[in-house]
Amino acid sequence: MTKSVVKNILNIAVILFTAMFFSCKNDAKEVRDFLVDKNLPIGESFNINHMHTDSGRVDLKMQTPVMYDFSNRRLHPYSEFPEGLKITTIDKHKDSVTIEGEYSKSYTKTQVSELRNNVVIINHKERTKLTTDEIYWDQKTHYFFTEKRFVFYTPSDTIYGIGFEASEDLKKWWVKNQSGVIEIKE
């Protein structure tokens, strides 16, 4: 082959490569819309060990093996924790509450989280413990509620029932349908 033929072939290859390179573009909005249409998360995180501080004091610890970020949803953005979640809140007096579940979903706009499957909430100082299969946590009002079966342990009582509401620290609580022996102080 002559030099001019090789040069022409190289020029054609460069022009084709350049055209292909500039014709392939992905707009970030198009990618997000594609992920929404396919019901795919916009992000995935693994082995999270998160600590939140306020004025240099740790007030929340969160651990989870997997988190999927569905913040690309227009109406109801959320985060999903398909392999469970453990959150420990610590107040100024070093009192702590631990919240655990084998599955969780946290909605961004409403700040309501749903925990399911072997949910356990413990107030360590008050020595109270709630177990249930499903609970909702309103993080704006600092409030738990469920319509499912539960068992609530206090230092002196074990309460069984269906339907439970409580403050986030389990210090104030309401039982809807209960059974068990409850000690009443006069």
Side-chain angles (χ1 to χ4, degrees), residues 40-55:
L40 297 171
I42 197 164
E44 298 176 350
S45 299
F46 300 96
N47 300 318
I48 297 173
N49 190 4
H50 173 75
M51 286 191 206
H52 182 268
T53 59
D54 182 13
S55 303

Side-chain angles (χ1 to χ4, degrees), residues 8 40 43 55 66 68 79-80 98 140 149 158 166 181-182 184:
N8 285 341
L40 297 171
S55 303
V66 178
Y68 297 132
S79 296
E80 182 179 25
T98 303
K140 278 193 246 180
R149 291 190 178 280
T158 300
V181 178
I182 302 173
I184 298 175

Side-chain angles (χ1 to χ4, degrees), residues 95-96 123-129 153-155 169-171:
D95 296 339
S96 65
N123 181 320
H124 298 282
K125 181 182 179 191
E126 300 290 322
R127 296 186 353 231
T128 56
K129 176 180 172 182
Y153 304 93
T154 69
D169 58 7
L170 295 180
K171 289 181 181 178

Side-chain angles (χ1 to χ4, degrees), residues 124-162:
H124 298 282
K125 181 182 179 191
E126 300 290 322
R127 296 186 353 231
T128 56
K129 176 180 172 182
L130 173 71
T131 61
T132 185
D133 281 330
E134 177 184 79
I135 201 158
Y136 294 91
W137 179 17
D138 188 331
Q139 295 168 36
K140 278 193 246 180
T141 60
H142 307 284
Y143 184 75
F144 291 114
F145 57 95
T146 185
E147 296 299 323
K148 300 289 184 181
R149 291 190 178 280
F150 71 88
V151 180
F152 185 60
Y153 304 93
T154 69
S156 60
D157 303 311
T158 300
I159 304 165
Y160 302 89
I162 299 172

